[in-house]
Amino acid sequence: MATSEKDQRREARDRLRADREAQAWRAKVRGRVLIGGALVAVLAVAVGIGLYAAKSSGPEYEAAGEPFVQPANTTGKDGIVIPYGKADAKNVLSVWLDPRCPYCAGVEIGLGGTFKKQADAGTYRVEYHFATFLDKALGGGKGSKRAVNALGAAVNESPEKFMEYLQVLYKNHPEKESDDQFGSTATLLDLADQVPGLRTPAFNKAVKELTYMPWTEKVGQAFYDQGMKGTPDVSINGKKITVNSGQGIDSITPEAFEKLVAENLR
């Protein structure tokens, strides 16, 4: 009984700390997020642009012509899926994000800890997918792709380091959507310092030399190939669930999310 109460107190402290971090982050970005339907329009245009580009042109990306290297700890054809959790979990939570998407940041900041907690408990396996269309939709840039390349370098180290690094990136999301902050190698490496043990020689080399950029292209192309319409997109066992609160960038509460998951478990 004492142990249970101790665990409950620790969980309460962890949740309070996470709530404070989320509130601070939301206060930082609330005043500069695209308003109302503007983001929806941007996403729709971005998807159209991406489809056209994918069909009409050859490789036009950094490290074009470099050999394809698949990060360790990835699954699916060409390793386009980054899983976290028990491989034999009966349930699967599918999460689609674009590194430069403020609403994705809201979801990951608000619910990322819950994703990890439930995956660790065996409730489901999380399968992360990434889009990179905002590089074009936001007036050009390379932050989405370079961030995904860096995330590939992180998961190559371990799924746990990937999860930590993903949180760090979104907690340091650019103050303006048009700010190509993640396009900076120095920024990506500096943020990696916040994840203990991540800055290995292999990680540093992959971020600097864009080792996983050909893989990043395949990861981003899957967004179009699978007919996705925008990010964030979250589903449990193929059933799409709404994780944005409808109040700016805020996600729904962890409690509301857990209820939606429970209703759709196998």
Side-chain angles (χ1 to χ4, degrees):
M1 182 67 175
T3 301
S4 177
E5 291 177 353
K6 182 179 180 181
D7 290 343
Q8 289 176 2
R9 288 196 297 272
R10 185 178 65 251
E11 290 180 2
R13 287 196 300 271
D14 290 344
R15 176 162 291 182
L16 179 60
R17 183 174 62 252
D19 286 346
R20 286 174 176 170
E21 290 178 350
Q23 289 171 9
W25 182 85
R26 286 195 292 267
K28 175 182 176 183
V29 300
R30 182 173 285 114
R32 47 81 179 173
V33 174
L34 294 171
I35 298 172
L39 181 62
V40 175
V42 168
L43 297 183
V45 171
V47 171
I49 292 173
L51 282 170
Y52 177 80
K55 293 179 179 179
S56 65
S57 63
E60 293 181 359
Y61 56 91
E62 297 175 285
E66 291 300 312
F68 173 82
V69 180
Q70 178 178 328
N73 306 307
T74 57
T75 61
K77 187 178 185 299
D78 297 318
I80 60 174
V81 179
I82 298 179
Y84 179 82
K86 300 176 181 179
D88 61 352
K90 292 191 300 183
N91 300 284
V92 176
L93 184 78
S94 178
V95 181
W96 288 81
L97 306 169
D98 187 307
R100 292 179 69 181
C101 168
Y103 287 83
C104 296
V107 167
E108 187 62 28
I109 292 297
L111 299 176
T114 303
F115 296 166
K116 184 178 186 302
K117 181 187 75 172
Q118 291 198 303
D120 287 341
T123 305
Y124 48 68
R125 177 179 69 257
V126 186
E127 293 189 346
Y128 277 98
H129 309 254
F130 289 93
T132 58
F133 60 83
L134 285 180
D135 279 346
K136 287 188 177 181
L138 295 175
K142 51 194 176 185
S144 289
K145 290 183 179 180
R146 284 199 165 197
V148 172
N149 174 76
L151 287 165
V155 76
N156 188 69
E157 297 295 324
S158 75
E160 291 74 20
K161 285 185 171 57
F162 159 79
M163 293 292 278
E164 289 184 65
Y165 190 47
L166 182 64
Q167 278 277 303
V168 168
L169 289 183
Y170 276 126
K171 286 179 180 178
N172 291 274
H173 197 265
E175 292 189 3
K176 295 181 180 179
E177 291 78 17
S178 58
D179 182 353
D180 197 25
Q181 175 177 303
F182 294 153
S184 165
T185 298
T187 295
L188 294 171
L189 290 174
D190 286 346
L191 292 176
D193 284 331
Q194 298 182 34
V195 180
L198 181 56
R199 289 289 302 272
T200 65
F203 176 85
N204 293 341
K205 183 176 186 292
V207 174
K208 292 175 181 178
E209 299 183 7
L210 304 175
T211 300
Y212 299 112
M213 192 59 75
W215 169 80
T216 294
E217 290 295 318
K218 292 181 181 292
V219 170
Q221 182 60 38
F223 177 83
Y224 307 116
D225 293 344
Q226 297 186 33
M228 304 304 294
K229 303 300 181 184
T231 58
D233 188 286
V234 178
S235 62
I236 180 72
N237 296 326
K239 173 69 174 179
K240 185 171 181 177
I241 56 178
T242 300
V243 291
N244 287 112
S245 66
Q247 303 297 317
I249 61 171
D250 293 358
S251 71
I252 59 176
T253 66
E255 293 79 11
F257 171 76
E258 290 176 358
K259 182 175 184 295
L260 288 173
V261 166
E263 292 171 352
N264 291 284
L265 294 178
R266 290 176 177 144

